[in-house]
Amino acid sequence: MDRYEHGGRGFEHPGALDFSANLNPLGMPPCAVQALRAGVESFAHYPDPANGGLRRAIATFEGVDACQVLACAGATDALWRLCQVLRPHTALVCDPCYSGYEQALEQVGTCVRHLRLDERTGFSAGNELARALDGYEALFVANPNNPTGRCLDRETLLACLRRARRTGATVVLDECFVDLCDARGSVDLLEEYPNLVVVKALTKSFCLAGLRVGYVLCADESLMARLEAAGQPWAVSVPAQLAGQVCLGPEAGHAFLDRSRELVRGERERMSNALCKLGLGVVPSEASFLLFCAPRSLYASLLAHGVLVRSCQNYHGLDERWHRVAVRMPNDNDRLLAALGEVLR
Protein backbone atom coordinates (compact mmCIF):
# COMPACT_ATOMS: atom_id res chain seq x y z
CA MET A 1 0.00 0.00 0.00
CA ASP A 2 1.00 3.59 -0.59
CA ARG A 3 1.83 5.27 2.72
CA TYR A 4 -0.92 7.86 2.17
CA GLU A 5 -3.57 5.56 0.72
CA HIS A 6 -6.94 5.90 2.44
CA GLY A 7 -10.19 3.99 2.60
CA GLY A 8 -13.20 4.80 0.46
CA ARG A 9 -11.81 3.20 -2.69
CA GLY A 10 -15.00 1.37 -3.52
CA PHE A 11 -14.78 2.79 -7.07
CA GLU A 12 -11.95 0.32 -7.65
CA HIS A 13 -14.15 -2.62 -6.62
CA PRO A 14 -17.62 -2.14 -8.11
CA GLY A 15 -20.17 -4.41 -6.52
CA ALA A 16 -18.25 -4.85 -3.27
CA LEU A 17 -19.88 -3.82 0.01
CA ASP A 18 -17.65 -0.97 1.18
CA PHE A 19 -16.74 -1.00 4.88
CA SER A 20 -13.55 0.99 4.26
CA ALA A 21 -15.21 4.44 4.37
CA ASN A 22 -16.73 5.57 7.68
CA LEU A 23 -19.85 7.33 6.45
CA ASN A 24 -23.19 7.82 8.18
CA PRO A 25 -25.06 4.51 7.68
CA LEU A 26 -28.31 6.45 7.17
CA GLY A 27 -26.80 8.07 4.08
CA MET A 28 -27.38 11.62 2.92
CA PRO A 29 -30.45 13.25 4.51
CA PRO A 30 -33.42 13.04 2.11
CA CYS A 31 -33.93 16.80 2.33
CA ALA A 32 -30.40 17.33 0.97
CA VAL A 33 -31.04 14.94 -1.90
CA GLN A 34 -34.23 16.81 -2.75
CA ALA A 35 -32.52 20.21 -2.54
CA LEU A 36 -29.71 19.09 -4.86
CA ARG A 37 -32.18 17.78 -7.42
CA ALA A 38 -34.28 20.93 -7.27
CA GLY A 39 -31.25 23.23 -7.43
CA VAL A 40 -29.41 21.61 -10.33
CA GLU A 41 -29.86 24.65 -12.60
CA SER A 42 -27.99 26.81 -10.07
CA PHE A 43 -24.90 24.67 -10.60
CA ALA A 44 -24.27 26.60 -13.83
CA HIS A 45 -23.34 29.70 -11.83
CA TYR A 46 -20.25 30.59 -9.82
CA PRO A 47 -20.51 29.87 -6.09
CA ASP A 48 -20.42 32.57 -3.44
CA PRO A 49 -16.65 32.91 -2.82
CA ALA A 50 -17.31 33.96 0.80
CA ASN A 51 -19.59 30.95 1.43
CA GLY A 52 -21.93 33.31 3.23
CA GLY A 53 -24.99 31.08 3.55
CA LEU A 54 -22.96 28.01 4.45
CA ARG A 55 -20.87 29.93 6.96
CA ARG A 56 -23.99 31.22 8.72
CA ALA A 57 -25.48 27.72 8.77
CA ILE A 58 -22.31 26.30 10.32
CA ALA A 59 -22.22 29.09 12.92
CA THR A 60 -25.83 28.46 13.94
CA PHE A 61 -25.33 24.69 14.06
CA GLU A 62 -22.16 24.97 16.18
CA GLY A 63 -23.36 27.86 18.34
CA VAL A 64 -20.46 30.17 17.45
CA ASP A 65 -20.02 33.54 15.76
CA ALA A 66 -19.76 33.47 11.97
CA CYS A 67 -16.35 35.17 12.18
CA GLN A 68 -15.07 31.99 13.88
CA VAL A 69 -16.04 29.85 10.86
CA LEU A 70 -14.18 29.13 7.64
CA ALA A 71 -15.85 26.85 5.09
CA CYS A 72 -13.50 24.63 3.08
CA ALA A 73 -13.57 21.94 0.40
CA GLY A 74 -13.51 19.14 2.95
CA ALA A 75 -11.36 18.65 6.04
CA THR A 76 -8.31 17.91 3.87
CA ASP A 77 -8.51 21.40 2.36
CA ALA A 78 -8.67 22.77 5.91
CA LEU A 79 -5.62 20.77 7.04
CA TRP A 80 -3.53 21.80 4.04
CA ARG A 81 -4.43 25.46 4.52
CA LEU A 82 -3.47 25.22 8.20
CA CYS A 83 -0.08 23.78 7.37
CA GLN A 84 0.53 26.39 4.67
CA VAL A 85 -0.30 29.20 7.10
CA LEU A 86 1.22 27.87 10.34
CA ARG A 87 4.33 26.37 8.71
CA PRO A 88 5.49 24.83 11.99
CA HIS A 89 9.11 23.75 12.15
CA THR A 90 8.11 20.89 14.44
CA ALA A 91 4.80 19.11 15.01
CA LEU A 92 3.60 16.20 17.13
CA VAL A 93 1.11 13.52 16.08
CA CYS A 94 -0.09 10.35 17.82
CA ASP A 95 0.28 6.90 16.28
CA PRO A 96 -1.72 5.32 14.90
CA CYS A 97 -3.55 8.27 13.34
CA TYR A 98 -4.82 9.67 10.07
CA SER A 99 -1.87 9.99 7.69
CA GLY A 100 -3.25 13.19 6.18
CA TYR A 101 -1.71 15.22 9.00
CA GLU A 102 1.80 14.04 8.16
CA GLN A 103 1.19 14.39 4.42
CA ALA A 104 0.09 18.02 4.76
CA LEU A 105 2.91 18.86 7.18
CA GLU A 106 5.56 17.36 4.93
CA GLN A 107 4.54 19.74 2.14
CA VAL A 108 5.83 22.67 4.23
CA GLY A 109 8.98 20.92 5.49
CA THR A 110 7.78 20.30 9.04
CA CYS A 111 9.72 17.86 11.19
CA VAL A 112 7.00 15.47 12.40
CA ARG A 113 7.42 13.44 15.58
CA HIS A 114 5.24 10.39 16.20
CA LEU A 115 4.14 9.64 19.75
CA ARG A 116 3.36 5.90 19.80
CA LEU A 117 0.17 5.06 21.70
CA ASP A 118 0.16 1.83 23.69
CA GLU A 119 -1.89 -1.06 22.34
CA ARG A 120 -2.21 -2.40 25.89
CA THR A 121 -4.27 0.66 26.88
CA GLY A 122 -6.43 0.43 23.76
CA PHE A 123 -4.38 3.19 22.08
CA SER A 124 -5.80 5.84 24.41
CA ALA A 125 -3.88 9.10 24.80
CA GLY A 126 -3.17 10.19 28.38
CA ASN A 127 -0.98 12.60 30.30
CA GLU A 128 2.04 11.64 28.21
CA LEU A 129 0.56 13.64 25.33
CA ALA A 130 0.74 16.98 27.15
CA ARG A 131 4.18 16.18 28.56
CA ALA A 132 5.47 15.42 25.07
CA LEU A 133 4.39 18.82 23.70
CA ASP A 134 7.42 20.79 24.88
CA GLY A 135 9.58 21.82 21.96
CA TYR A 136 6.81 21.48 19.34
CA GLU A 137 5.03 24.29 17.56
CA ALA A 138 1.88 22.32 16.75
CA LEU A 139 -0.07 19.27 17.85
CA PHE A 140 -2.33 17.45 15.40
CA VAL A 141 -4.73 15.14 17.22
CA ALA A 142 -8.21 13.72 16.65
CA ASN A 143 -11.34 13.31 18.79
CA PRO A 144 -12.26 10.53 18.19
CA ASN A 145 -9.10 9.15 16.69
CA ASN A 146 -8.93 7.37 13.35
CA PRO A 147 -8.45 4.36 13.12
CA THR A 148 -8.83 3.47 16.81
CA GLY A 149 -12.20 5.11 17.52
CA ARG A 150 -10.91 6.29 20.91
CA CYS A 151 -12.03 9.71 22.14
CA LEU A 152 -9.68 12.20 23.72
CA ASP A 153 -10.29 12.55 27.43
CA ARG A 154 -11.42 16.09 28.28
CA GLU A 155 -8.77 16.55 30.97
CA THR A 156 -6.08 15.35 28.58
CA LEU A 157 -7.19 17.90 25.99
CA LEU A 158 -7.28 20.69 28.57
CA ALA A 159 -3.79 19.75 29.76
CA CYS A 160 -2.56 19.93 26.18
CA LEU A 161 -4.21 23.30 25.58
CA ARG A 162 -2.78 24.80 28.76
CA ARG A 163 0.70 23.52 28.00
CA ALA A 164 0.49 24.65 24.37
CA ARG A 165 -0.62 28.13 25.47
CA ARG A 166 2.46 28.42 27.69
CA THR A 167 4.80 27.31 24.91
CA GLY A 168 3.07 29.17 22.07
CA ALA A 169 2.00 26.01 20.22
CA THR A 170 -1.19 25.52 18.19
CA VAL A 171 -3.48 22.56 18.86
CA VAL A 172 -5.22 21.35 15.70
CA LEU A 173 -8.11 19.12 16.80
CA ASP A 174 -9.73 16.94 14.15
CA GLU A 175 -13.37 16.35 15.15
CA CYS A 176 -14.64 15.01 11.82
CA PHE A 177 -16.17 11.96 13.52
CA VAL A 178 -17.39 13.54 16.76
CA ASP A 179 -20.99 14.12 15.61
CA LEU A 180 -21.51 10.37 15.09
CA CYS A 181 -20.40 9.40 18.59
CA ASP A 182 -21.53 10.26 22.10
CA ALA A 183 -18.37 12.16 23.01
CA ARG A 184 -18.51 15.82 23.80
CA GLY A 185 -17.15 18.17 21.16
CA SER A 186 -14.68 20.94 21.93
CA VAL A 187 -16.25 24.01 20.35
CA ASP A 188 -17.04 25.44 23.79
CA LEU A 189 -13.28 25.80 24.42
CA LEU A 190 -12.58 28.13 21.47
CA GLU A 191 -13.02 31.43 23.31
CA GLU A 192 -10.82 30.44 26.24
CA TYR A 193 -8.14 28.91 24.02
CA PRO A 194 -7.46 30.91 20.83
CA ASN A 195 -4.59 28.45 20.22
CA LEU A 196 -7.22 25.76 19.54
CA VAL A 197 -8.24 25.07 15.94
CA VAL A 198 -11.11 22.62 15.41
CA VAL A 199 -11.44 20.95 12.01
CA LYS A 200 -14.74 19.32 11.06
CA ALA A 201 -16.47 18.02 7.94
CA LEU A 202 -19.90 16.95 6.76
CA THR A 203 -18.26 14.06 4.92
CA LYS A 204 -18.90 11.48 7.61
CA SER A 205 -21.80 12.88 9.61
CA PHE A 206 -24.06 13.67 6.64
CA CYS A 207 -22.55 11.36 4.01
CA LEU A 208 -21.32 14.16 1.72
CA ALA A 209 -17.93 12.62 0.87
CA GLY A 210 -18.26 13.31 -2.85
CA LEU A 211 -19.25 16.96 -2.36
CA ARG A 212 -16.29 17.95 -0.15
CA VAL A 213 -17.69 20.16 2.63
CA GLY A 214 -15.53 20.91 5.66
CA TYR A 215 -14.80 23.80 7.97
CA VAL A 216 -12.44 25.34 10.51
CA LEU A 217 -13.53 26.78 13.86
CA CYS A 218 -11.19 29.12 15.73
CA ALA A 219 -11.41 32.29 17.83
CA ASP A 220 -8.11 33.71 16.53
CA GLU A 221 -9.36 36.24 13.96
CA SER A 222 -5.90 36.88 12.52
CA LEU A 223 -5.33 33.18 11.89
CA MET A 224 -8.78 32.81 10.33
CA ALA A 225 -8.09 35.69 7.93
CA ARG A 226 -4.82 34.09 6.84
CA LEU A 227 -6.51 30.72 6.38
CA GLU A 228 -9.15 32.28 4.17
CA ALA A 229 -6.49 34.01 2.06
CA ALA A 230 -4.57 30.72 1.71
CA GLY A 231 -7.35 29.00 -0.25
CA GLN A 232 -8.21 29.25 -3.91
CA PRO A 233 -11.25 31.33 -4.98
CA TRP A 234 -14.58 29.47 -5.20
CA ALA A 235 -13.14 26.54 -3.25
CA VAL A 236 -16.56 25.28 -2.13
CA SER A 237 -18.85 24.47 -5.05
CA VAL A 238 -22.49 25.49 -5.45
CA PRO A 239 -23.84 21.97 -4.75
CA ALA A 240 -21.53 21.61 -1.75
CA GLN A 241 -22.72 24.90 -0.27
CA LEU A 242 -26.35 24.02 -0.95
CA ALA A 243 -26.14 20.53 0.57
CA GLY A 244 -24.22 21.82 3.57
CA GLN A 245 -26.80 24.48 4.38
CA VAL A 246 -29.68 22.00 4.14
CA CYS A 247 -27.92 19.32 6.21
CA LEU A 248 -27.16 21.76 9.00
CA GLY A 249 -30.61 23.35 8.90
CA PRO A 250 -33.82 22.46 10.74
CA GLU A 251 -34.89 19.72 8.27
CA ALA A 252 -31.90 17.55 9.22
CA GLY A 253 -29.33 19.02 11.60
CA HIS A 254 -29.16 17.77 15.17
CA ALA A 255 -32.30 15.59 14.92
CA PHE A 256 -30.82 13.63 12.03
CA LEU A 257 -27.57 13.19 13.96
CA ASP A 258 -29.47 12.01 17.05
CA ARG A 259 -31.04 9.21 15.00
CA SER A 260 -27.69 8.42 13.44
CA ARG A 261 -25.92 8.15 16.80
CA GLU A 262 -28.60 5.83 18.15
CA LEU A 263 -28.17 3.50 15.18
CA VAL A 264 -24.37 3.61 15.33
CA ARG A 265 -24.32 3.00 19.08
CA GLY A 266 -26.41 -0.15 18.89
CA GLU A 267 -24.77 -1.62 15.79
CA ARG A 268 -21.25 -0.84 17.02
CA GLU A 269 -21.86 -2.76 20.23
CA ARG A 270 -23.41 -5.68 18.36
CA MET A 271 -20.55 -5.80 15.85
CA SER A 272 -17.91 -5.50 18.54
CA ASN A 273 -19.37 -8.43 20.48
CA ALA A 274 -19.60 -10.53 17.33
CA LEU A 275 -16.02 -9.75 16.31
CA CYS A 276 -14.78 -10.75 19.77
CA LYS A 277 -16.68 -14.05 19.51
CA LEU A 278 -14.82 -14.71 16.26
CA GLY A 279 -11.56 -14.47 18.22
CA LEU A 280 -10.52 -11.06 16.90
CA GLY A 281 -8.81 -8.43 19.03
CA VAL A 282 -11.22 -5.48 19.01
CA VAL A 283 -10.20 -2.02 20.20
CA PRO A 284 -12.97 -0.39 22.31
CA SER A 285 -14.47 2.30 20.09
CA GLU A 286 -16.69 5.32 20.63
CA ALA A 287 -16.89 6.14 16.93
CA SER A 288 -18.71 4.91 13.83
CA PHE A 289 -16.01 2.33 13.07
CA LEU A 290 -14.09 -0.51 14.70
CA LEU A 291 -10.41 -1.44 14.62
CA PHE A 292 -9.53 -5.09 15.10
CA CYS A 293 -6.53 -7.36 14.88
CA ALA A 294 -6.72 -10.74 13.11
CA PRO A 295 -4.18 -13.60 12.97
CA ARG A 296 -3.31 -12.55 9.41
CA SER A 297 -4.36 -10.13 6.69
CA LEU A 298 -8.01 -10.70 5.78
CA TYR A 299 -8.24 -8.00 3.11
CA ALA A 300 -8.00 -10.18 -0.01
CA SER A 301 -10.08 -13.00 1.45
CA LEU A 302 -12.91 -10.65 2.39
CA LEU A 303 -12.78 -8.92 -0.97
CA ALA A 304 -13.23 -12.32 -2.61
CA HIS A 305 -16.46 -12.54 -0.58
CA GLY A 306 -17.58 -9.13 -1.88
CA VAL A 307 -16.65 -7.16 1.22
CA LEU A 308 -14.14 -4.27 1.17
CA VAL A 309 -12.46 -3.39 4.48
CA ARG A 310 -9.71 -0.94 5.34
CA SER A 311 -6.33 -2.61 5.63
CA CYS A 312 -4.41 -0.67 8.28
CA GLN A 313 -0.93 -1.85 7.37
CA ASN A 314 0.11 1.66 6.23
CA TYR A 315 -0.70 3.24 9.61
CA HIS A 316 2.36 3.91 11.75
CA GLY A 317 2.46 1.32 14.53
CA LEU A 318 0.13 -1.18 12.84
CA ASP A 319 0.70 -4.01 10.34
CA GLU A 320 -1.23 -6.18 7.90
CA ARG A 321 -3.08 -7.97 10.74
CA TRP A 322 -5.01 -4.80 11.60
CA HIS A 323 -8.27 -3.88 9.87
CA ARG A 324 -10.84 -1.11 10.25
CA VAL A 325 -14.53 -1.51 9.41
CA ALA A 326 -17.31 1.05 9.31
CA VAL A 327 -20.57 0.61 11.18
CA ARG A 328 -23.23 0.27 8.50
CA MET A 329 -26.89 -0.74 8.39
CA PRO A 330 -27.78 -4.01 10.17
CA ASN A 331 -28.15 -6.11 6.99
CA ASP A 332 -24.79 -4.91 5.70
CA ASN A 333 -23.14 -5.61 9.04
CA ASP A 334 -24.60 -9.11 8.98
CA ARG A 335 -22.95 -9.69 5.60
CA LEU A 336 -19.59 -8.57 6.95
CA LEU A 337 -19.86 -10.84 9.98
CA ALA A 338 -20.89 -13.79 7.81
CA ALA A 339 -17.93 -13.20 5.47
CA LEU A 340 -15.56 -12.99 8.43
CA GLY A 341 -16.93 -16.23 9.78
CA GLU A 342 -16.21 -17.90 6.44
CA VAL A 343 -12.63 -16.62 6.01
CA LEU A 344 -11.69 -17.39 9.62
CA ARG A 345 -12.88 -21.02 9.54
Side-chain angles (χ1 to χ4, degrees):
M1 294 181 70
D2 181 88
R3 63 188 292 217
Y4 294 130
E5 185 175 320
H6 305 296
R9 303 184 71 86
F11 56 87
E12 294 180 341
H13 307 283
L17 190 57
D18 189 0
F19 280 84
S20 72
N22 308 313
L23 307 177
N24 190 325
L26 290 180
M28 191 186 302
C31 57
V33 176
Q34 293 166 8
L36 287 167
R37 287 174 176 161
V40 69
E41 291 187 2
S42 68
F43 303 169
H45 305 291
Y46 281 101
D48 172 8
N51 306 297
L54 178 57
R55 179 178 285 187
R56 289 189 292 273
I58 295 168
T60 300
F61 177 81
E62 296 288 358
V64 300
D65 193 284
C67 68
Q68 297 176 338
V69 176
L70 174 66
C72 302
T76 299
D77 178 29
L79 291 169
W80 282 61
R81 290 197 202 199
L82 278 162
C83 292
Q84 291 293 329
V85 169
L86 294 174
R87 293 188 172 270
H89 292 94
T90 56
L92 181 67
V93 300
C94 298
D95 284 339
C97 73
Y98 173 57
S99 63
Y101 312 143
E102 183 178 14
Q103 185 179 20
L105 287 163
E106 284 188 349
Q107 301 306 307
V108 296
T110 301
C111 177
V112 181
R113 182 200 165 188
H114 299 261
L115 177 65
R116 184 69 57 86
L117 299 177
D118 194 338
E119 179 183 346
R120 294 170 298 181
T121 65
F123 300 107
S124 60
N127 294 332
E128 75 278 8
L129 183 57
R131 291 196 298 266
L133 258 178
D134 290 354
Y136 293 90
E137 297 175 25
L139 167 67
F140 283 68
V141 67
N143 178 48
N145 187 36
N146 170 17
T148 65
R150 302 305 303 267
C151 288
L152 195 61
D153 178 82
R154 184 78 164 190
E155 287 306 312
T156 298
L157 174 59
L158 288 171
C160 290
L161 287 169
R162 289 191 289 263
R163 196 147 192 155
R165 184 164 56 186
R166 290 197 299 270
T167 63
T170 301
V171 176
V172 178
L173 183 62
D174 177 353
E175 291 200 327
C176 286
F177 291 103
V178 78
D179 288 329
L180 287 181
C181 69
D182 294 324
R184 180 182 182 184
S186 306
V187 176
D188 62 306
L189 299 174
L190 293 174
E191 290 287 352
E192 185 177 357
Y193 296 97
N195 62 323
L196 171 63
V197 180
V198 175
V199 175
K200 296 187 70 174
L202 307 190
T203 302
K204 324 296 182 186
S205 49
F206 293 99
C207 211
L208 299 184
L211 286 176
R212 315 305 305 141
V213 191
Y215 52 97
V216 176
L217 302 170
C218 182
D220 185 335
E221 293 185 16
S222 173
L223 175 59
M224 294 296 275
R226 287 181 287 149
L227 288 173
E228 185 163 15
Q232 60 177 310
W234 309 296
V236 186
S237 70
V238 170
Q241 291 189 36
L242 173 59
Q245 290 178 68
V246 173
C247 285
L248 296 174
E251 291 185 77
H254 293 290
F256 180 79
L257 291 177
D258 286 342
R259 295 196 302 274
S260 304
R261 280 190 292 268
E262 183 178 3
L263 171 64
V264 167
R265 188 186 309 118
E267 282 301 295
R268 182 183 62 227
E269 182 178 0
R270 183 174 75 91
M271 290 174 68
S272 180
N273 291 335
L275 293 172
C276 289
K277 288 180 180 178
L278 288 170
L280 301 170
V282 183
V283 176
S285 173
E286 298 165 82
S288 56
F289 51 87
L290 290 162
L291 177 69
F292 65 87
C293 186
R296 63 184 187 281
S297 173
L298 304 179
Y299 179 85
S301 300
L302 287 170
L303 192 56
H305 282 72
V307 175
L308 177 63
V309 300
R310 172 66 158 95
S311 169
C312 294
Q313 63 179 316
N314 65 341
Y315 280 91
H316 289 288
L318 303 181
D319 58 31
E320 71 281 354
R321 298 172 303 145
W322 290 91
H323 310 74
R324 190 196 68 202
V325 292
V327 175
R328 294 183 51 125
M329 295 299 285
N331 289 344
D332 293 340
N333 297 333
D334 288 341
R335 281 185 57 187
L336 167 70
L337 295 171
L340 280 167
E342 288 292 323
V343 303
L344 289 169
R345 278 201 301 187

